[in-house]
Structure formats: structure tokens, C-alpha cells
Amino acid sequence: MSTSPFAVPRAPYAEDPSKSRGRRYQEDESRTRTPFARDRDRIIHTSAFRRLKEKTQVFVAHEGDQFRTRLTHSLEVAQIARSLATALGLDADLAETIALAHDLGHPPFGHAGEDELELQTKEFGGFDHNVQTFRVVTELEHRYPDFVGLNLTWETLEGVIKHNGPVIHKLGQPSWKAISKYDGEYGLKLDTWASAEAQVAALSDDIAYNNHDIDDGVEAGLFTLDELMDVPLIGPILAAVRSERPDLDARITRLEAVRRMIGAMVDDVMGETLQRAAITGVASADEVRALPHALVSFSSDMLEDLARLREFLHARMYRHWRVNRTRSQARRILAEMFTLFLAEPEVLPSEWFAKSQNRDQAGRARVVCDYIAGMTDRFAIEEHRKLFHLDVWS
């Protein structure tokens, strides 16, 4: 029998689900899934994951249904992470799981919402979407009779909180108090890098958003294909597509260029990662954690090109007046709701009002923050209207 050309030997530094450090609360193993696959399925079934369908990536949900949302972004990240992990001989289930979970804590309205919640909670402990993601999977989701949270494996929790690298230096920040407390009870080695699979998820996030922001930016009319011609990475790829296929219309040209750019970035990560693995000689997952730098990485040339691309996107997309206008509206909506809920908790829905009772002001502020952070864009807009405009009840 012939061997599939896509069969890649398992890397010696891959995580082995049969050797997982386990879960905080003892459970019988699944008969049909590895521990990491089971984590993935638990994440997919959460309320927080479903709500990502109407949370902003760049464009607010009501601006058009063709643009990416946090849910479609997470799915794209997961697809890239699974493919890249498979090609590198890593555990694809773990990489996919961390990718699917990485944005669960994002509030409505994207980074504008995060900035506003951080401002509103500054004197009450602050807000960080990575910490909020961790709280979602360990505390806020309550779906099982014997524990709160999802009771995910140690490896998944580690990847959720430190996929971008060591976070020990953040523990002094008030917004990271929840992580410090959890780590004290269930050590997550916050001073080291995470698994190679978690690092794959982090890089897949970069690959996904750089590419779909180009796609969405052109689709929204914020810039044109011609304006991308002088931008590193996408410019040469776009020129090649136009040269090879002058028969293509603008839409297919754009989609083909984005497809090729994803491939180029994936190839770059694979080449750089395999080179680093050979140089360092890592032979186990724990040796990956012990490295003084990331194992999974872009090359220096790719990082330089991406920095130039991000400069273009910041100037022409993320700070475009249309996006700025939406950011301003979004921040006012969240600020006004936060102020009202904190001053008058009795207008919160019953479940959340009950949670706000018998707490000091900081505790009530955290409940209000959790309620707002869980909202979709559409729900936040409607909730704001109901709270501040009586005519919506007629």
C-alpha cells in the first residue's frame, strides 16, 4: 500500500494527547476523542463561541454581511492552524482548539469595545480580552453539573493564555489578577513559551487577519488593488497574478492574490520553524517551552514585509474616517451602558442583577463588564436603544 504524500511523521516536540497533564477536575476519558479534540468540541458548543457570529472584526455587523466577523475569523484561523500543524507534524487538534478559543473574550465592536471597557474598568481592575477569554473557559461558561467552566486540559489552557509568549511580566497588572490566582492553584508555567501547537495558533491568527483585512478593505472600498501594488508582500503577488492571468476580473484577481499570500506566509512559517527546530535540536514539548525564543515564527524578511503591510492597513483601513466614526459610536454605546448599569444595577437582566448583589463596587463593575463583554454588536445596539430611547417599546 502506498504512503500518502501528505503523511508527515509526528515531530518529537509535538504534544502527545495520551500524555496530557490532564484536567483540573477529574473526568473519565472520551471513548471516541482525544483530550484535545474533546476540548475543541466543548469550545464549539459554548454560548461565547456562538456569539462570535455577530462580533466585530473590523466592520460592525450591520455594515454588511459579507465582511468577516469574530466567528468567521476564528474559523479561518483554525483552518490555517490545523493545516500548518499537520504539515509540521504537530497535534492538529490542539492547534485547532486554541485557534477556535483565542477570541472568546472579545467584547462587541472589536478593539474599540476593548479599549472602552479597559477605560471604564480602569479603577476596578481593568479589562484584557486575553484574560477575559481565559475567564470564559474557566469560569463564565457554566454547562456541566460538577464544575464551572469547561474543565479544559492543561495544554489548552496554557495555549489560551500564553500563545503569544511568556506572560509572567503581566501578572502585576490588575486585569491579570484572575490569571495570577488561577496559576497559584493550577500552575501554567507562565514564565515559559507555550507548546509549538499554541505558537502555530498565534501565527495563524496573524496570517488570517492580514489576509482577510486586505480582502475586506478592498471589498469595502477603503482602498483599491492598484493602491496595493507598492505594498510589500501583497504587491508582488498581485503583480504576478495580473501578469499570469490578465483575463481575470478584479474580484477574482483579489481573491487569487489573497490565496497566494496565505500560501506564501504558511510556507515562510514552515521553513523558519523547521530551521529553528534543526538548529536548537528540540526533542520534546517541554524543550520547546524551555527555549529562550519562539520555535514557530516568521522569517526576519517576512516580519519586515508584514510590518510595512500593517502600516498600510493602519493608515488606510483601521484609522479610515468611516471606521473611526463607527469606533466612536461604539465606544459611546458601551460607555453609556456601563455607567448606567453600574449606577442602577436593578436595570440589569434578572440573572445579572442577582450576580451584582452583595458585592463591593469593584465586584459590581466586574459583573457589568462581563455582561457587556458577552454582547454581540447587534445586541449591544438594541440594548442601548431600549435603555435610552423609550420609543423602541411602542
Coordinates of all heavy atoms in Angstrom, one line a residue, residues 66 68 76 211-212 214-216 218-219 225 228 234 237-238 241 248-263:
Q66 N -21.1 40.5 4.3 CA -20.1 39.9 3.5 C -18.7 40.0 4.2 O -17.7 39.3 3.9 CB -19.9 40.5 2.1 CG -19.4 41.9 2.0 CD -20.4 42.9 2.1 OE1 -21.4 42.8 2.8 NE2 -20.2 44.1 1.4
R68 N -15.9 39.9 7.4 CA -15.5 38.9 8.5 C -16.1 39.4 9.8 O -16.2 40.5 10.1 CB -14.0 38.8 8.6 CG -13.4 37.7 7.8 CD -13.3 38.0 6.4 NE -12.5 37.0 5.6 CZ -12.2 37.2 4.3 NH1 -12.6 38.3 3.7 NH2 -11.5 36.3 3.7
E76 N -11.3 30.7 10.2 CA -10.2 30.8 9.3 C -8.9 30.6 10.0 O -8.0 29.9 9.5 CB -10.2 32.2 8.6 CG -11.3 32.4 7.6 CD -11.3 33.8 6.9 OE1 -10.3 34.5 7.0 OE2 -12.3 34.1 6.3
N211 N -4.5 38.8 5.8 CA -5.1 38.5 4.5 C -6.6 38.9 4.4 O -7.0 39.5 3.4 CB -4.9 37.0 4.2 CG -3.5 36.7 3.8 OD1 -3.2 36.8 2.6 ND2 -2.7 36.2 4.7
H212 N -7.4 38.6 5.4 CA -8.8 38.9 5.2 C -9.0 40.4 5.4 O -10.0 41.0 4.9 CB -9.7 38.1 6.1 CG -9.6 38.2 7.6 ND1 -9.6 39.4 8.3 CD2 -9.5 37.2 8.5 CE1 -9.5 39.1 9.6 NE2 -9.5 37.8 9.7
I214 N -7.1 42.7 4.0 CA -6.9 43.2 2.7 C -8.1 42.9 1.9 O -8.6 43.8 1.2 CB -5.7 42.5 2.0 CG1 -4.4 43.0 2.6 CG2 -5.6 42.7 0.5 CD1 -3.1 42.2 2.2
D215 N -8.7 41.7 1.9 CA -9.9 41.3 1.2 C -11.0 42.2 1.6 O -11.7 42.8 0.7 CB -10.2 39.9 1.5 CG -11.2 39.3 0.6 OD1 -11.5 39.9 -0.5 OD2 -11.8 38.3 0.9
D216 N -11.3 42.4 2.9 CA -12.4 43.2 3.3 C -12.2 44.7 3.0 O -13.2 45.4 2.7 CB -12.6 43.0 4.8 CG -13.3 41.7 5.2 OD1 -13.8 41.0 4.3 OD2 -13.4 41.4 6.4
V218 N -10.6 46.1 0.5 CA -10.9 46.3 -0.9 C -12.4 46.2 -1.1 O -13.0 47.1 -1.8 CB -10.1 45.4 -1.8 CG1 -10.6 45.5 -3.3 CG2 -8.6 45.6 -1.7
E219 N -13.0 45.2 -0.6 CA -14.5 45.0 -0.7 C -15.3 46.2 -0.2 O -16.3 46.6 -0.8 CB -14.9 43.7 0.1 CG -16.4 43.4 0.0 CD -16.9 42.9 -1.3 OE1 -16.0 42.4 -2.1 OE2 -18.1 43.0 -1.6
L225 N -7.0 47.8 -5.5 CA -5.9 46.9 -5.8 C -4.7 47.6 -6.3 O -3.6 47.3 -6.0 CB -6.4 45.9 -6.9 CG -7.4 44.8 -6.5 CD1 -7.8 43.9 -7.6 CD2 -6.9 44.0 -5.3
L228 N -2.5 48.8 -3.7 CA -1.7 47.7 -3.0 C -0.4 47.4 -3.8 O 0.4 46.6 -3.3 CB -2.6 46.5 -2.9 CG -3.7 46.6 -1.9 CD1 -4.6 45.4 -2.0 CD2 -3.2 46.6 -0.4
I234 N 2.0 41.7 -0.6 CA 0.8 41.6 -1.5 C 1.1 42.2 -2.8 O 0.5 41.8 -3.8 CB -0.4 42.3 -0.8 CG1 -1.7 42.1 -1.6 CG2 -0.1 43.8 -0.5 CD1 -2.1 40.6 -1.8
I237 N 2.8 39.8 -5.3 CA 1.9 38.7 -5.6 C 0.8 39.2 -6.5 O 0.4 38.5 -7.5 CB 1.3 38.1 -4.3 CG1 2.4 37.4 -3.5 CG2 0.2 37.2 -4.5 CD1 2.0 36.9 -2.1
L238 N 0.2 40.3 -6.2 CA -0.8 40.9 -7.1 C -0.3 41.1 -8.5 O -1.0 40.8 -9.5 CB -1.3 42.2 -6.5 CG -2.5 42.9 -7.1 CD1 -3.7 41.9 -7.2 CD2 -2.9 44.1 -6.3
V241 N -0.2 37.8 -10.3 CA -1.5 37.3 -10.7 C -2.0 38.0 -12.0 O -2.5 37.4 -12.9 CB -2.5 37.5 -9.6 CG1 -3.9 37.1 -10.1 CG2 -2.1 36.6 -8.4
L248 N -8.6 37.7 -15.7 CA -9.4 37.7 -14.5 C -10.0 39.0 -14.2 O -9.4 40.1 -14.4 CB -8.6 37.2 -13.3 CG -8.0 35.8 -13.4 CD1 -7.2 35.5 -12.2 CD2 -9.1 34.7 -13.7
D249 N -11.3 39.0 -13.7 CA -11.8 40.3 -13.3 C -11.2 40.7 -11.9 O -10.5 39.9 -11.3 CB -13.4 40.2 -13.2 CG -13.9 39.2 -12.2 OD1 -13.2 38.9 -11.2 OD2 -15.0 38.8 -12.3
A250 N -11.6 41.9 -11.4 CA -10.9 42.5 -10.3 C -11.2 41.6 -9.0 O -10.3 41.4 -8.2 CB -11.4 43.9 -10.0
R251 N -12.4 41.1 -8.9 CA -12.7 40.3 -7.7 C -11.9 39.0 -7.7 O -11.4 38.7 -6.6 CB -14.3 40.0 -7.7 CG -14.7 39.0 -6.6 CD -16.2 38.8 -6.6 NE -16.6 37.8 -5.6 CZ -16.5 36.5 -5.9 NH1 -16.2 36.0 -7.1 NH2 -16.9 35.6 -4.9
I252 N -11.9 38.3 -8.7 CA -11.1 37.0 -8.7 C -9.6 37.3 -8.6 O -8.9 36.5 -8.0 CB -11.5 36.2 -10.0 CG1 -13.0 35.8 -10.0 CG2 -10.6 34.9 -10.0 CD1 -13.4 35.0 -8.9
T253 N -9.2 38.4 -9.2 CA -7.8 38.7 -9.1 C -7.4 38.9 -7.6 O -6.4 38.5 -7.1 CB -7.5 40.0 -9.9 OG1 -7.7 39.8 -11.3 CG2 -6.0 40.5 -9.6
R254 N -8.3 39.7 -6.9 CA -8.1 39.9 -5.5 C -8.1 38.6 -4.7 O -7.2 38.4 -3.9 CB -9.2 40.8 -4.9 CG -9.1 41.2 -3.5 CD -10.3 42.0 -3.0 NE -11.4 41.1 -2.6 CZ -12.6 41.3 -3.1 NH1 -12.9 42.2 -4.0 NH2 -13.6 40.5 -2.7
L255 N -9.1 37.8 -4.9 CA -9.2 36.5 -4.2 C -8.0 35.6 -4.5 O -7.4 34.9 -3.5 CB -10.5 35.8 -4.5 CG -11.7 36.5 -4.1 CD1 -13.0 35.8 -4.6 CD2 -11.8 36.7 -2.6
E256 N -7.5 35.6 -5.7 CA -6.4 34.7 -6.0 C -5.1 35.3 -5.4 O -4.2 34.5 -4.9 CB -6.2 34.7 -7.5 CG -4.9 33.9 -8.0 CD -4.9 32.4 -7.7 OE1 -6.0 31.9 -7.2 OE2 -3.8 31.8 -7.8
A257 N -4.9 36.6 -5.3 CA -3.8 37.2 -4.7 C -3.8 36.9 -3.2 O -2.7 36.6 -2.6 CB -3.7 38.7 -4.9
V258 N -4.9 37.0 -2.6 CA -5.0 36.7 -1.1 C -4.7 35.2 -0.9 O -4.0 34.9 0.1 CB -6.4 37.1 -0.6 CG1 -6.6 36.5 0.8 CG2 -6.6 38.6 -0.6
R259 N -5.2 34.4 -1.7 CA -5.0 32.9 -1.6 C -3.5 32.6 -1.7 O -2.9 31.9 -0.8 CB -5.7 32.1 -2.7 CG -5.6 30.6 -2.5 CD -6.2 29.9 -3.7 NE -5.4 30.1 -4.9 CZ -4.3 29.4 -5.3 NH1 -3.9 28.5 -4.4 NH2 -3.7 29.7 -6.4
R260 N -2.8 33.3 -2.6 CA -1.4 33.0 -2.8 C -0.6 33.6 -1.6 O 0.4 33.1 -1.2 CB -0.9 33.7 -4.1 CG -1.4 33.0 -5.3 CD -0.7 33.5 -6.6 NE -1.3 33.0 -7.8 CZ -0.8 33.2 -9.0 NH1 0.3 33.9 -9.2 NH2 -1.4 32.7 -10.1
M261 N -1.1 34.8 -1.1 CA -0.4 35.4 0.1 C -0.5 34.5 1.3 O 0.5 34.4 2.1 CB -0.9 36.8 0.4 CG 0.0 37.6 1.3 SD -0.5 39.3 1.4 CE -1.2 39.4 3.0
I262 N -1.6 33.9 1.5 CA -1.7 32.9 2.6 C -0.7 31.8 2.5 O 0.0 31.4 3.4 CB -3.2 32.4 2.7 CG1 -4.2 33.5 3.1 CG2 -3.2 31.2 3.7 CD1 -5.6 33.0 3.1
G263 N -0.6 31.3 1.2 CA 0.3 30.2 1.0 C 1.7 30.6 1.2 O 2.5 29.9 1.8

